[in-house]
Amino acid sequence: MLVIMDPRATEADIQRVKERIQELGYTAHPIPGASRLAIGVTGNQGIEDRIYLEGLPGVQQVIPVTKPYKLASRETRPENSVVKVGEASFGDGSVAMIAGPCAVESRDQTLRIAERVAELGAHMLRGGAYKPRTSPYAFQGLGEAGLEILAEAREQTGLPVVTEVVDASQAPVVAQYVDMLQIGTRNMQNFELLKEVGRLGMPVLLKRGMSATLDETLMSAEYLMSHGTHAVVICERGVRTFASHARSTLDVSVIPALKRLSHLPIIVDPSHASGNRTSVIPLAMAGVGAGADGLMVDVHDDPEHALVDGPQALLPEDFRELMALLGKVVPALGRTFPVARAKKQEAH
Ligand code: PEP
Ligand code: MN
């Protein structure tokens, strides 16, 4: 259930409500909003206990949240959530661009590509240090050495960094190096990982499981949110279908559906959805046309020799073309496409 506070409620009133929720054995989640102050209540089975909250000073209304996900539901928060990661902003009407190599392969490769995508206007850098691979014989990532390289790339370009965390025990270490933690498609329902990452309270990029329904995806977001982070961005990266012409099928229909049910931002990853460079720009346009709050694309300057996912990586000049196209299309959609102000490190 959701407790809607009167706009005139005092701090003491709010505190009292939170305490009463705890006394009932439930958890209180203050939901900051522009139009109202609400306190989400989780842990209750029904809404019978609302009588213990309704009479308290400063309480305007106690309403049921009918969806199984509470904190992620639009019933709980009618206005869009805005997730800010450095200069990048998701959910405020802009189209945020995350770009970089699929994997951190070496210091030189990552710094080179980071420099290029920063120059071309990316708002965030991506790169995997821990790679979940289908084959145990394939390159598994550089691990902590890769995280150090990502931190150096951030220093050098000023771009905030997102990277995947594959194991709950590594999450606190990964969190020290980057600005946003990514949960991959294969781990969307690794609930222990979700709990641990949620507890860190950092922004999270939650990739939809390749066979997950929207409700299941939102329940995974709920795991993160109920454990402590409210800054969750969902990523549609294609789902499994009978189609064999692409690695996955980009489900653009999930974007308006998610926006009806949830206040969380959603971005599209056309690289992993298609597996093919020539499809990336068309699918990126489809995602933005359907209302995505941003895009995440693989960029590599030597895709022939990339250790992971070379065939789907845009070359820097393709990325330039994508950015130029977005510069025209995004304003025409009534959205904004901020020019990234990546700060270069001054030479000392
Ligand atoms: C990735 O973004 O690096 C990745 C592995 O993607 P996914 O989890 O969507 O396959
Ligand atoms: Mn990849």
Side-chain angles (χ1 to χ4, degrees), residues 167-169 171 183 187 189-199 223 227:
D167 186 88
S169 66
I183 305 282
N187 271 317
Q189 287 190 315
N190 180 340
F191 301 118
E192 292 308 316
L193 178 62
L194 295 174
K195 288 185 211 170
E196 182 60 28
V197 168
R199 276 193 281 269
Y223 261 94
H227 283 81

Side-chain angles (χ1 to χ4, degrees), residues 102-103 126 131 247 272 298 308-309 312:
C102 180
R126 63 147 293 144
K131 297 305 302 176
R247 188 170 172 181
H272 288 84
D298 286 5
V308 189
D309 286 348
Q312 73 194 29

Side-chain angles (χ1 to χ4, degrees), residues 19-101:
E19 281 164 16
R20 179 62 60 86
I21 292 167
Q22 269 164 18
E23 281 159 24
L24 290 166
Y26 309 145
T27 309
H29 305 266
I31 320 248
S35 56
R36 61 180 188 178
L37 172 75
I39 303 174
V41 182
T42 57
N44 58 307
Q45 294 306 313
I47 58 159
E48 295 73 28
D49 285 342
R50 75 175 146 179
I51 50 166
Y52 299 114
L53 296 165
E54 266 168 352
L56 293 178
V59 171
Q60 194 171 65
Q61 211 188 354
V62 182
I63 53 174
V65 178
T66 54
K67 299 289 182 204
Y69 41 88
K70 310 292 179 191
L71 304 173
S73 167
R74 212 180 258 288
E75 291 175 290
T76 298
R77 185 186 159 96
E79 64 264 31
N80 291 335
S81 276
V82 177
V83 173
K84 288 196 179 297
V85 187
E87 300 262 326
S89 193
F90 302 86
D92 63 352
S94 66
V95 173
M97 294 299 292
I98 308 176

Side-chain angles (χ1 to χ4, degrees), residues 289-300:
D293 297 295
L295 295 168
M296 177 155 87
V297 292
D298 286 5
V299 175
H300 204 294

Side-chain angles (χ1 to χ4, degrees), residues 102 126 131 164 182 184-186 207 237 269 272 296:
C102 180
R126 63 147 293 144
K131 297 305 302 176
E164 180 165 352
Q182 178 174 322
T185 194
R186 293 161 189 83
K207 296 192 102 178
R237 48 77 71 209
D269 175 348
H272 288 84
M296 177 155 87

Side-chain angles (χ1 to χ4, degrees), residues 209-237:
M210 61 183 87
S211 306
T213 63
L214 176 52
D215 272 9
E216 286 165 346
T217 308
L218 290 173
M219 287 308 281
S220 291
E222 190 76 11
Y223 261 94
L224 292 165
M225 298 176 83
S226 61
H227 283 81
T229 180
H230 284 268
V232 177
V233 177
I234 309 285
C235 179
E236 162 59 30
R237 48 77 71 209

